Structure formats: C-alpha cells, structure tokens
Amino acid sequence: MTLSVSTRSVDGSTVVAVTGDVDISTSPELRSALADATGSGAAAVVVDLSEVSFVDSTALGVLVGAFTTLRNNGGRFALAADHEAVLKVLRITALHDVLGVHPTVDEAVAAVTR
C-alpha cells in the first residue's frame, strides 16, 4: 500500500497525518515529514495514525526518534491512533504510554497544548 503523509496546523500544533501502512519501505517518507516538523521549531507535534492499519519496527523507530528530538528541544509529542493492530504493537512494545497515544486527533492536540 502507498503511504501518504500530509501536515497541517491545528490549534498551534503541527499534525502529521499518515495514510497507509508504515513499514521499512515507506518509513523514509514519514521520517522526512517528522524531521521537517520537528526541525521547524514546532513546540507540539501530533502524528495522526487513524488511517494506518500496520506499523513495523522501522515505523516505531521513526516515531521514537521524532519523540526524542522534540522532547530534547522542549517540545511535546502525541499520537492519535484507533486501529487495534497499531494499538497492539504500541502496547506490546510499551510505547503506548511513552509516546502518548490518544483515540482522536482532537484529544492528542489537547494533550500537547495543555
């Protein structure tokens, strides 16, 4: 499946919306979009995975890298995800709580802007 990544601003947060499967072949596109978002001085980034049904370990590495970069620069990071396959991977790897997973973009934005 082809990956689509777009970026928009919502209530002062940068929302990176992802559609498709995020795996070893599509992760570079997500990595690039997140590097742009974290490198642009954004104080709050939300990754919208609501249209993603599969993530592999490469995708997790990309998300952790963006989270770490943002946190080290004083920013905040959250995920919006509701697909059970994605949530299962995040829970198994214990990243669910670390990355701040929320069921909707609105809830994730609220979490990073408080």
Side-chain angles (χ1 to χ4, degrees):
M1 178 179 238
T2 306
L3 186 75
S4 171
V5 181
S6 63
T7 304
R8 68 184 190 278
S9 181
V10 176
D11 294 336
S13 298
T14 300
V15 176
V16 178
V18 185
T19 302
D21 294 343
V22 188
D23 58 26
I24 194 166
S25 66
T26 59
S27 287
E29 188 173 347
L30 178 58
R31 180 179 289 111
S32 177
L34 289 173
D36 289 346
T38 59
S40 69
V45 174
V46 170
V47 181
D48 178 6
L49 299 176
S50 60
E51 297 296 321
V52 173
S53 59
F54 175 81
V55 293
D56 71 1
S57 60
T58 308
L60 297 179
V62 169
L63 294 171
V64 169
F67 165 80
T68 303
T69 297
L70 201 58
R71 185 188 63 194
N72 289 344
N73 292 321
R76 299 188 69 179
F77 182 91
L79 299 177
D82 61 357
H83 195 281
E84 189 54 41
V86 173
L87 293 171
K88 183 176 181 180
V89 171
L90 292 168
R91 285 186 200 112
I92 288 171
T93 58
L95 291 173
H96 188 273
D97 293 327
V98 173
L99 298 178
V101 180
H102 304 273
T104 68
V105 170
D106 289 341
E107 290 176 72
V109 168
V112 298
T113 56
R114 311 183 209 148

